[in-house]
Amino acid sequence: MWPQRLLLAALLSLTILLTSIFFFTLHYSPGSSLHSSESSQELVPQPTELRLLIGILTRFGTIDRRHLLRLAYSVQPSPTFPAVIDVRFVLCNLTSSDQRLLVSLEILRFNDIIILNCSENMNSGKTYSYFSQLPAIFPDTEKYDYVMKTDDDTYIRVLPLVSSLRARPRHDLYYGFVVPCMSMDPFKGYMSGMGFVLSWDLVEWIRESEIPKNNTMGPEDKVVGEWLRLGSKGKNRWCEKPGMYDYPGTNGRCSHGLIEETVAVHRLKRMDMWVRVFEYFNVTKGVKPSRMYHLD
Ligand SMILES: *[C@@H]1O[C@H](CO)[C@@H](O)[C@H](O)[C@H]1NC(C)=O
Ligand SMILES: *[C@@H]1O[C@H](CO)[C@@H](O)[C@H](O)[C@H]1NC(C)=O
Ligand SMILES: *[C@@H]1O[C@H](CO)[C@@H](O)[C@H](O)[C@H]1NC(C)=O
Ligand SMILES: *[C@@H]1O[C@H](CO)[C@@H](O)[C@H](O)[C@H]1NC(C)=O
């Protein structure tokens, strides 16, 4: 009976290992009691310095992309200061019992799904649904300092992002890649939908004000810039260039070569582009030799 017991023990520890990997990596919280190795070193938990929600707007059908993104985020290093960074996939209403079953599986395993009250075949308004519904989803005790909206064709490097955000004001902040592409002035134009950040007070404003409610149609990123202009909001702005950009060669002057100080690369439409990005940022350099595989 020994081999069976061993197998059982091995399976059990593998399950625990996998669970902890995914738990920790999709909810980076160094310094909090949730991460045992950290908490045993530091008996006094440090106050969280920054709470960031990264919402990836996506649709039910892109489950393969969600898995790729889960991999991409789960191997990223955590910030060296106490921070909570939650990565969530944002969907509208599911439309069949099959969809509900499959997404329930994802929720059981990853717990990283937000389903808004909206309809996916609506051409516009999902970004409004996202920001305006967040305050009801996250009550005051769970609210974030910053909320990012991004897409499933954007690769975000969490460490450079939070290092940059850490130095920004926590209120009335509008952060991202300003459009037009050659502009460096965040007070004109708007932040590209590749990935922009609003401070929580602006999220609450979007929920309460009639300005966004009355202007939900049109290109979602441009529309957000318009809300803030009409409401005289976003007194604090930051243009993260050249750290945010479109993948080389995909979008004229909005694109440039991959650079070390990257915060976000957008327009990753094909697998070979993701591969180039993973290669450039050395994301697999931690792979150890093993008898289980050969990678040459
Ligand atoms: C969801 O949205 C629909 C249509 O916009 C609205 O009629 C309904 O009241 C909303 N439901 C909830 C629970 O907010
Ligand atoms: C989304 O689903 C909820 C619950 O089934 C429903 O109450 C709501 O009206 C739906 N919203 C839209 C916009 O279809
Ligand atoms: C929004 O639309 C409503 C209804 O059409 C109108 O009464 C209100 O004045 C509008 N608010 C703003 C800020 O435009
Ligand atoms: C990736 O690793 C190479 C070789 O160690 C190094 O020269 C390069 O700077 C690294 N790239 C980044 C983006 O850190």
Side-chain angles (χ1 to χ4, degrees), residues 209-211 213-215:
S209 168
E210 279 191 343
I211 294 171
K213 197 178 293 161
N214 284 0
N215 302 279

Side-chain angles (χ1 to χ4, degrees), residues 108-122:
L108 272 177
R109 182 64 185 86
F110 302 109
N111 198 23
D112 59 0
I113 300 275
I114 292 175
I115 302 177
L116 302 172
N117 179 13
C118 54
S119 155
E120 212 73 80
N121 39 31
M122 218 160 48

Side-chain angles (χ1 to χ4, degrees), residues 143-167:
K143 69 183 184 190
Y144 294 89
D145 297 306
Y146 300 120
V147 175
M148 180 173 226
K149 178 265 144 187
T150 186
D151 289 331
D152 62 9
D153 61 348
T154 301
Y155 177 63
I156 290 172
R157 292 176 74 229
V158 170
L159 271 192
L161 172 67
V162 296
S163 314
S164 178
L165 284 177
R166 192 187 193 189

